[in-house]
Amino acid sequence: MENSKYYTPEISEFHVGFEYEMKRGFQDGTVKSQEDFDSAEWEKRTCSLSGDPYIDRALNGKNAENGRCGIRVKCLDRDDIESCGWKPLNRNPFIYTVESGMNVYSLRIFEDTRLVEIAFGVDKDRLNTFYGTIRNKSELKKLMQQLNIK
């Protein structure tokens, strides 16, 4: 997976259930110093139906313009994949499987990227296949739901 542990999300990534972190005190829109930024703690949050009215301000406001964006998202890693029920196949760190009902799905990650393939079935009989980039755990959960992987 990628070397960077966190990234700054785009506003379009936010949805109900989206997991992110926000610097304490950076949601009110007041301009903060670098010292304020460095001393503020990161708080884990999950986007709810009511949302957070300050997400756009934190991503695009004066603090962000000054290089102190108060929102970040953890990049997808192997711990996230395993926490969603996937098990390494024969201790291979790049191939995982999960059972869902009568089906067995495979997930293959490509070294040093977030490029992922999730497939059901074998070879030409693959009925559900996704091949693309998954940036974070929330996206993996959303994709699993769309593929009906429980």
Side-chain angles (χ1 to χ4, degrees), residues 37-38 41 49 73 84 89 92 105 124 126 129 136 147:
F37 184 82
D38 293 340
E41 292 183 29
L49 193 55
V73 175
C84 289
L89 182 64
N92 183 328
Y105 289 83
K124 65 180 186 314
R126 291 183 178 186
T129 302
N136 56 64
L147 294 173

Side-chain angles (χ1 to χ4, degrees), residues 2-121:
E2 239 177 57
N3 293 334
S4 178
K5 189 170 179 169
Y6 295 93
Y7 72 95
T8 301
E10 300 290 326
I11 192 72
S12 61
E13 293 181 61
F14 285 80
H15 61 274
V16 173
F18 184 73
E19 297 173 16
Y20 63 101
E21 294 181 7
M22 182 178 268
K23 280 276 193 176
R24 181 175 290 148
F26 273 70
Q27 57 270 30
D28 62 5
T30 59
V31 179
K32 310 289 189 204
S33 68
Q34 187 63 46
E35 184 179 333
D36 293 334
F37 184 82
D38 293 340
S39 64
E41 292 183 29
W42 288 103
E43 299 176 333
K44 293 184 185 285
R45 298 201 174 181
T46 302
C47 196
S48 65
L49 193 55
S50 61
D52 187 337
Y54 303 109
I55 290 173
D56 187 54
R57 186 182 299 166
L59 291 173
N60 301 308
K62 200 64 162 168
N63 288 315
E65 287 176 12
N66 292 333
R68 294 183 285 272
C69 181
I71 293 183
R72 69 182 185 181
V73 175
K74 182 177 171 278
C75 295
L76 183 70
D77 62 18
R78 287 175 175 82
D79 289 338
D80 294 332
I81 292 169
E82 291 179 19
S83 75
C84 289
W86 297 89
K87 305 284 185 228
L89 182 64
N90 299 324
R91 299 184 187 191
N92 183 328
F94 302 104
I95 300 176
Y96 294 81
T97 62
V98 69
E99 291 184 31
S100 180
M102 300 288 290
N103 302 318
V104 176
Y105 289 83
S106 66
L107 180 148
R108 180 170 59 134
I109 57 174
F110 298 86
E111 192 171 10
D112 298 325
T113 70
R114 288 187 212 96
L115 191 59
V116 172
E117 177 185 71
I118 296 178
F120 162 71

